[in-house]
Amino acid sequence: DTAVSQTPKYLVTQMGNDKSIKCEQNLGHDTMYWYKQDSKKFLKIMFSYNNKELIINETVPNRFSPKSPDKAHLNLHINSLELGDSAVYFCASSLSRAGELFFGEGSRLTVL
Amino acid sequence: DAKTTQPPSMDCAEGRAANLPCNHSTISGNEYVYWYRQIHSQGPQYIIHGLKNNETNEMASLIITEDRKSSTLILPHATLRDTAVYYCIVRVNTDKLIFGTGTRLQVFP
């Protein structure tokens, strides 16, 4: 079983649409993250949740709204998609805020 | 911003040791040195981390200088599957992980 799984793996959509990416971890970890990797391959943290509580929000536009229904899930909803949102989005989890991160395989979002 | 400096790229022959350097001259006493790698199109993978002492695990060894201003990640017997971008990151234990530009390691036959 995949430890950190993201769906969908690929997403192609039009500007202005709303889309969601889902993430689930089966490691029993308390902390989950969303990272964005742009076309220049820079990996930037977006959000972090610890026990369903938001602890990091890196000045991401409020069109991005993370939701953690439980400790094992952290979903990312994006409203009014823009061309610049095209990127690979990685979900990750760690046992605690101090632990090493386990990353998912990424979700490649392409906005046309 | 990342607090580390790494060479943009390195080559290594298969079977030889790959030594990847990292400078972190402004590291604080409570900051750990972490290494991750990203194999093409995959999610980053944790390799190893340390505070002051040298560390070794099944993947690699981490050598930290006595003044902690630099470190070296050693892959003892590089294989083609070790071709990846390697990120050196300094981090207070509970702080966010900030990735820099990393070193692109190319292992050749």
Side-chain angles (χ1 to χ4, degrees):
Chain A
D1 283 343
T2 304
V4 181
S5 58
Q6 302 178 223
T7 55
K9 192 166 183 175
Y10 299 96
L11 188 52
V12 180
T13 188
Q14 299 287 330
M15 279 177 58
N17 284 349
D18 304 338
K19 291 293 177 186
S20 292
I21 306 171
K22 296 186 176 182
C23 178
E24 176 182 3
Q25 54 94 3
N26 62 6
L27 298 167
H29 288 172
D30 283 347
T31 311
M32 296 186 72
Y33 312 78
W34 277 109
Y35 277 79
K36 177 182 179 181
Q37 188 166 40
D38 60 24
S39 57
K40 295 184 179 178
K41 303 299 184 182
F42 290 119
L43 260 167
K44 291 185 180 178
I45 189 167
M46 300 174 68
F47 301 104
S48 176
Y49 272 71
N50 188 62
N51 282 320
K52 301 195 299 176
E53 180 184 346
L54 179 67
I55 54 172
I56 294 175
N57 182 342
E58 284 293 299
T59 60
V60 177
N62 56 16
R63 297 183 296 105
F64 291 78
S65 52
K67 282 191 172 51
S68 182
D70 54 58
K71 287 197 317 182
H73 296 85
L74 181 61
N75 304 322
L76 184 65
H77 188 76
I78 315 170
N79 289 328
S80 304
L81 278 157
E82 301 177 357
L83 293 177
D85 298 332
S86 295
V88 181
Y89 292 84
F90 287 100
C91 177
S93 73
S94 60
L95 185 61
S96 68
R97 290 180 64 183
E100 57 261 29
L101 274 61
F102 291 78
F103 283 81
E105 291 298 304
S107 297
R108 181 176 294 276
L109 171 65
T110 303
V111 182
L112 303 175
Chain B
D1 290 338
K3 298 172 63 174
T4 62
T5 305
Q6 300 177 252
S9 64
M10 293 182 65
D11 290 340
C12 179
E14 191 177 18
R16 304 297 292 270
N19 298 288
L20 291 94
C22 180
N23 285 324
H24 30 78
S25 58
T26 61
I27 193 169
S28 302
N30 61 347
E31 287 183 312
Y32 288 73
V33 179
Y34 280 78
W35 283 83
Y36 281 75
R37 72 179 181 184
Q38 187 173 23
I39 297 171
H40 179 63
S41 297
Q42 297 181 20
Q45 177 188 23
Y46 165 81
I47 302 173
I48 199 167
H49 75 281
L51 184 63
K52 295 181 183 178
N53 299 323
N54 298 337
E55 303 287 343
T56 295
N57 63 20
E58 65 278 2
M59 288 183 70
S61 294
L62 174 60
I63 309 298
I64 302 174
T65 58
E66 196 167 338
D67 64 7
R68 302 211 322 125
K69 293 186 177 182
S70 65
S71 60
T72 302
L73 179 74
I74 302 173
L75 307 178
H77 306 287
T79 71
L80 297 178
R81 286 176 293 182
D82 292 322
T83 293
V85 178
Y86 287 78
Y87 296 98
C88 170
I89 303 164
V90 295
R91 175 197 190 200
V92 174
N93 217 6
T94 59
D95 205 356
K96 56 195 173 190
L97 211 59
I98 300 176
F99 288 81
T101 53
T103 296
R104 181 171 297 278
L105 175 68
Q106 179 69 53
V107 181
F108 57 91

